């Protein structure tokens, strides 16, 4: 048990990722309000993006851009750009999902006059 | 030119989807013929591509000329070319069905509607071709987003079903992305061919094992594998009747194909996680899905819902086939995937036509079908024969090869599961036919409408293809055995 907690404390960023991910799922499962569910969903998506960023983090690293073409290339000072690019795409996907989901939630509200899942399920019957 | 065929197949629906709002502003009547023409051209190009792959043995298509591990590549091999061929033909038939005059007029929304349908097709093409894990994720989300919107389009209950589909689908996608992240953190690459070289050295790695598990659960939600199928029955029942065939025949199958690609081309057939062979896990869950899906279908009253559960059971059967770990089972599973796309499309064409022609939604209304032309029941008979697995239809030969594969693997439990699933399928179709042919309670005669030509074409094509696939099963299976067997199986 002690080693486990110690392991978490040594990697606070991974701990934060797990916490955010589970928190998002918890909100999605326990809240009846559709918009709150979406907040949980977005939190979960963002935590995965956070995971990608934290995996690629490197101390004192810079962006892999050559200021001068004659400059000597030193791989150790650059951060890996690929996860950041993936992150960008994942953010775009997340925003698109959020857009569609809010549109659906809006349509549900207009149709049933409520955002509470239990209310809506009652009206469905 | 031949090299660029995969990109052309993808760009046809994508480019038209982007142009559609612009064209639609000028003339809404153009949307329908343009979409059909684009799908027809796509099917033609897919056929040329298939012939090219048969002759040259397939290529890895590099985008922008960047070679594989650095750039993004698409895999245009035997498996992908066959599936693209089937996908584009089914998409063509579905778009013809979608544009039928049977359905209420969409008014100004027609432009957005066709845009979504074309984007969905583009996303599915991407899933089939993708040779890169992250690329696969992006296309999964492109097609899924269009799917959510199309389900919600019907309004009313469909909105709630679409919302649930969205929540669960996004959860699956996030799990898949997390699995990709684990793979990337462990290997430093996302390219499937490159990963396949590095994964064998990392079999003992916990990160890879957990990554596999996350990917499988994520794709399992997308392909509606039974314990994870919560979104599917409602979504398919309440989705607009015109798009249900397209969703049912293509979307879950594409996710399944993505998993086949990862399982056999990245992990290899002998992958083991936490002392459990992945193939065993997949086969076990497939058998469970086949049984539970068919069992739940038996207790449904709503026709569309019944067919949706039938589809769940067939996803399980395909997984049983591919997980046998031998060539016979694998090609049988893939053949069943092709047949299932046709059967699901056909069944939902039939259900959609019935709702809009005669107002028949549940099996209690089916006795009214006797006022309908006899061939409408005939189509169902052919499709049901294929669903159950009666020769000479495609469904029979698919199941036959799956069972042969199971015998070869000495997996007798799988055989039992397939047989019980078959019996349950027979049972729920008997339930349907009993209502059609035996029920004495005559319903009031509806004003019988003429069946539009488009619907006739779709129903005819679907039932004919189910039989043709059966008659040509030797050739198709032979082709799959020659070109689509993964390395190391």
């Amino acid at each position: 048990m002690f080693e486990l907690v110690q392991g978490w404390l040594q990697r606070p960023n991974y701990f934060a990722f797990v916490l955010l991910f589970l928190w998002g799922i918890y909100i999605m499962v326990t809240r009846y309000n559709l918009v709150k569910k979406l907040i949980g969903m977005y939190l979960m998506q963002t935590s995965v993006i956070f995971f990608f960023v934290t995996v690629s983090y490197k101390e004192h690293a810079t962006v892999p851009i050559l200021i001068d073409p004659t400059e000597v290339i030193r791989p150790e000072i650059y951060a890996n750009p690929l996860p950041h690019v993936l992150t960008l795409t994942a953010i775009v996907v997340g925003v698109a999902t959020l857009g569609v989901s809010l549109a659906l939630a809006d349509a549900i509200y207009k149709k049933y006059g409520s955002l509470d899942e239990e209310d809506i399920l009652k009206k469905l019957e | 030119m031949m090299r660029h065929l995969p990109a052309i197949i993808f760009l046809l629906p994508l480019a038209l989807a982007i142009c559609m709002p612009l064209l639609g502003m000028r003339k809404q009547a153009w949307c329908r013929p343009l979409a059909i023409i684009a799908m027809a051209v796509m099917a033609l190009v897919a056929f040329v591509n298939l012939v090219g792959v048969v002759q040259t043995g397939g290529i890895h298509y590099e985008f922008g000329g960047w070679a594989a591990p650095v750039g993004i590549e698409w895999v245009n091999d035997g498996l992908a070319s066959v599936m693209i061929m089937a996908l584009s033909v089914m998409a063509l038939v579905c778009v013809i069905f979608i544009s039928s005059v049977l359905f209420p007029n969409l008014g100004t929304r027609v432009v957005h509607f066709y845009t979504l349908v074309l984007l969905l097709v583009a996303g599915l093409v991407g899933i089939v071709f993708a040779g890169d894990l992250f690329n696969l994720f992006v296309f999964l989300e492109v097609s899924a987003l269009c799917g959510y919107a199309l389900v919600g389009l019907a309004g009313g209950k469909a909105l709630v079903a679409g919302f649930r589909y969205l929540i669960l689908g996004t959860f699956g996608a996030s799990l898949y992305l997390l699995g990709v992240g684990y793979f990337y953190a462990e290997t430093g690459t996302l390219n499937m061919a490159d990963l396949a070289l590095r994964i064998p050295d990392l079999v003992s790695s916990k990160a890879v094992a957990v990554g596999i598990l996350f990917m499988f659960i994520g794709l399992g939600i997308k392909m509606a594998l039974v314990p994870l199928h919560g979104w599917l029955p409602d979504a398919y029942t309440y989705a607009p009747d015109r798009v249900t065939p397209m969703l049912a025949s293509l979307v879950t199958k594409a996710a399944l194909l993505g998993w086949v690609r990862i399982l056999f081309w990245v992990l290899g057939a002998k992958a083991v996680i936490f002392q459990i062979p992945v193939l065993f896990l997949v086969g076990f869950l497939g058998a469970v899905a086949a049984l539970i899906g068919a069992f739940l279908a038996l207790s449904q009253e709503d026709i569309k819902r019944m067919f949706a559960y039938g589809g769940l059971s067939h996803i399980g059967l395909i997984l049983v086939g591919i997980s046998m770990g031998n060539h016979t089972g694998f090609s049988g599973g893939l053949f069943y995937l092709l047949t299932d796309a046709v059967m699901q499309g056909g069944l939902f064409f039939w259900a959609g036509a019935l709702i809009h022609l005669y107002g028949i939604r549940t099996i209690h209304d089916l006795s009214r079908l006797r006022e309908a032309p006899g061939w409408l029941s005939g189509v169902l008979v052919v499709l049901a024969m294929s669903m159950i697995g009666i020769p000479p239809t495609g469904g029979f030969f698919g199941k036959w090869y799956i069972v042969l594969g199971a015998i070869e693997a000495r997996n007798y439990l799988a055989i039992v599961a397939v047989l019980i699933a078959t019996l349950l399928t027979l049972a729920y179709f008997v339930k349907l036919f009993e209502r059609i042919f035996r029920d004495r309670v005559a319903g009031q005669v509806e004003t019988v409408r003429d069946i539009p030509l488009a619907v006739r074409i779709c129903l005819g094509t679907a039932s004919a293809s189910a039989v043709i696939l059966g008659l040509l099963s030797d050739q198709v299976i032979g082709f799959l055995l020659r070109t689509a067997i993964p390395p190391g199986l």
Side-chain angles (χ1 to χ4, degrees), chain A residues 9 17 30-31 39 48 50 61 70 73 90 92-93 98-99 103 106-107 112 122 125:
Chain A
L9 292 178
F17 149 69
T30 55
R31 301 297 136 147
I39 292 172
V48 177
F50 181 73
T70 57
I73 299 171
V92 173
V93 169
L98 195 68
D106 178 52
Y112 295 101
K122 237 177 253 161
E125 280 159 10

Side-chain angles (χ1 to χ4, degrees), chain A residues 17 21 25 28 34 38 41 44-45 48 51-52 80 82-83 86 89 93 96-97 101 107-108 111-112 120 124, chain B residues 134 137-138 141 145 148 152 156-157 159-160 162-164 166-167 170-171 174-175 177-178 181-182 184-185 190:
Chain A
F17 149 69
F21 191 80
I25 293 174
M28 267 164 67
L34 296 186
L38 291 184
M41 187 186 88
M44 183 190 67
Q45 279 182 310
V48 177
F51 172 75
F52 269 92
N80 183 355
L82 185 67
L86 300 183
T89 314
V93 169
T97 313
S101 59
I108 290 174
K111 172 88 186 170
Y112 295 101
I120 294 165
L124 276 180
Chain B
F134 192 78
F137 163 77
V138 173
E141 280 308 83
L145 280 171
Y148 311 145
K157 287 181 181 179
L159 291 170
V160 182
F163 192 84
R164 188 175 302 161
L166 184 139
I167 292 271
T170 309
F171 180 55
S174 299
L175 279 182
L177 184 60
L178 191 58
Y182 276 41
Y184 183 73
L190 290 167

Side-chain angles (χ1 to χ4, degrees), chain B residues 245-269:
Chain B
M246 185 170 243
L247 296 174
S249 82
L250 300 178
V251 174
T252 48
K253 312 288 178 303
L256 178 57
L257 205 61
W259 174 243
V260 169
R261 187 62 94 182
I262 293 171
L263 178 57
F264 289 98
W265 271 265
V266 176
L267 308 175

Side-chain angles (χ1 to χ4, degrees), chain B residues 446-477:
Chain B
E446 297 275 308
T447 44
V448 178
R449 287 169 63 189
D450 244 3
I451 303 176
L453 181 66
V455 177
R456 286 169 192 252
I457 292 174
C458 297
L459 285 169
T461 320
S463 49
S465 335
V467 176
I468 290 170
L469 270 172
L471 295 177
L472 295 180
S473 62
D474 256 10
Q475 282 82 350
V476 179
I477 293 264

